[in-house]
Amino acid sequence: MFREDKTCGRRVATPIGELAVWETGSGATPLLLWHGLYAEASMFDPLVKELAPDYRLLLISAPGHGASGPPDLPFTNAASGAAVIAVLDAFGIERAAILGSSWGGIAAVHAALQAPRRISAVAAFNTPFGSGTHDLGTRFIVWLTGLLGNTSFFGRRVASGFFSGRTRAQNPEVIEEFVAAFPARAPRSLQIIARAVLMERESLIPLLPQIQVPVLVVSGAEDTRYPPAQTQGIVRRIPNARFFTIEDSGHLTPLEQPEIAARLVRGLVPPR
């Protein structure tokens, strides 16, 4: 089972900075996993347990998070798609599917648009497809990220809007592990990413009809940031897409419901 270790992992130079990437799994079917803002690659640990026997898994630690370095400037979400391709090149993989959670889903869509011959399928979990916002609440979170992004206090504030009621009641240790990652982060780097993802994010909606690969879009029933009803309407613009809502999950569906997530991934990308 994968656990992120800051002393391990392969370093890959990409257009958005040097990324730490871990390879695990005993299967032949390549699948990249990219986590979301404020999370870690280790959020996929329960999902890795489900998929590792049948897939070759590459877990990307995003810039400003975990073992990866700070983001290169200027940072853009579109460049995250190019970073996906750089990871494929570094591991000698011609074509692979990618599963992205939230910001990772944005990177996955950009990669599929930029290099459709390199991406076989996209699984976008809890992903915002619209443009970023500059409302007072978002601006406050971005400001607070730069001030307190390396504190457990801030981690708990983020966690309060990320998890389902079931996880809060039955698995509080999952939330504690999520919060425990914050003190090791650099607030300035995290703020750069937060601003790009939450405020300066370019809308993907006009580009969705151009996606040429199969797409799985999954929402958590309790995801208050990007509610299922909002996402489902947008997904209709994607030519070859399927949409699912998973109960008892918030904004980190692959972490909260790994068995269901794995079943959906297997339907999208059957192992060979």
Side-chain angles (χ1 to χ4, degrees):
M1 187 162 60
F2 166 79
R3 302 299 301 172
E4 182 167 345
D5 182 342
K6 294 184 186 297
T7 65
C8 302
R10 181 170 174 178
R11 318 297 295 190
V12 178
T14 80
I16 60 173
E18 186 178 71
L19 305 184
V21 184
W22 288 263
E23 181 173 6
T24 189
S26 53
T29 304
L31 174 65
L32 277 65
L33 297 97
W34 184 311
H35 62 84
L37 175 67
Y38 302 129
E40 300 267 325
S42 57
M43 71 160 280
F44 291 120
D45 190 52
L47 184 61
V48 167
K49 183 178 179 180
E50 298 290 328
L51 297 177
D54 299 310
Y55 292 85
R56 179 186 180 187
L57 302 172
L58 299 182
L59 294 100
I60 299 171
S61 183
H65 296 70
S68 289
D72 282 352
L73 299 177
F75 175 85
T76 67
N77 289 294
S80 298
V84 170
I85 306 307
V87 170
L88 291 180
D89 290 341
F91 282 83
I93 298 174
E94 181 61 30
R95 199 162 190 250
I98 177 169
L99 184 158
S101 173
S102 192
W103 169 29
I106 296 172
V109 170
H110 276 295
L113 288 167
Q114 294 168 17
R117 295 184 179 181
R118 304 294 303 277
I119 304 299
S120 60
V122 167
F125 282 73
N126 312 104
T127 298
F129 294 100
S131 59
T133 60
H134 291 257
D135 60 87
L136 182 61
T138 301
R139 286 189 282 122
F140 176 72
I141 286 295
V142 172
W143 173 79
L144 199 62
T145 299
L147 185 68
L148 299 173
N150 62 343
T151 66
S152 296
F153 169 81
F154 181 73
R156 294 190 188 283
R157 182 183 179 92
V158 173
S160 67
F162 271 28
F163 292 92
S164 67
R166 178 179 178 181
T167 297
R168 291 194 297 269
Q170 299 183 12
N171 303 105
E173 71 281 358
V174 172
I175 300 175
E176 290 304 313
E177 184 173 354
F178 175 83
V179 172
F182 280 79
R185 294 177 179 158
R188 174 57 180 157
S189 293
L190 198 60
Q191 185 182 48
I192 292 170
I193 300 298
R195 181 178 290 110
V197 173
L198 300 179
M199 294 176 59
E200 299 170 356
R201 184 179 72 243
E202 313 90 340
S203 177
L204 288 168
I205 295 175
L207 304 176
L208 296 180
Q210 301 175 26
I211 299 177
Q212 301 176 28
V213 302
V215 178
L216 168 70
V217 179
V218 180
S219 287
E222 298 178 43
D223 189 344
T224 56
R225 292 197 61 82
Y226 309 111
Q230 172 185 311
T231 302
Q232 186 174 18
I234 296 172
V235 171
R236 296 190 181 100
R237 297 171 177 263
I238 305 174
N240 186 10
R242 293 183 298 159
F243 175 80
F244 294 89
T245 298
I246 298 182
E247 298 296 324
D248 294 319
S249 67
H251 189 59
L252 299 175
T253 297
L255 172 59
E256 294 192 276
Q257 295 290 353
E259 296 88 356
I260 299 175
R263 188 161 62 247
L264 293 175
V265 170
R266 289 178 184 277
L268 176 71
V269 189
R272 60 176 187 261

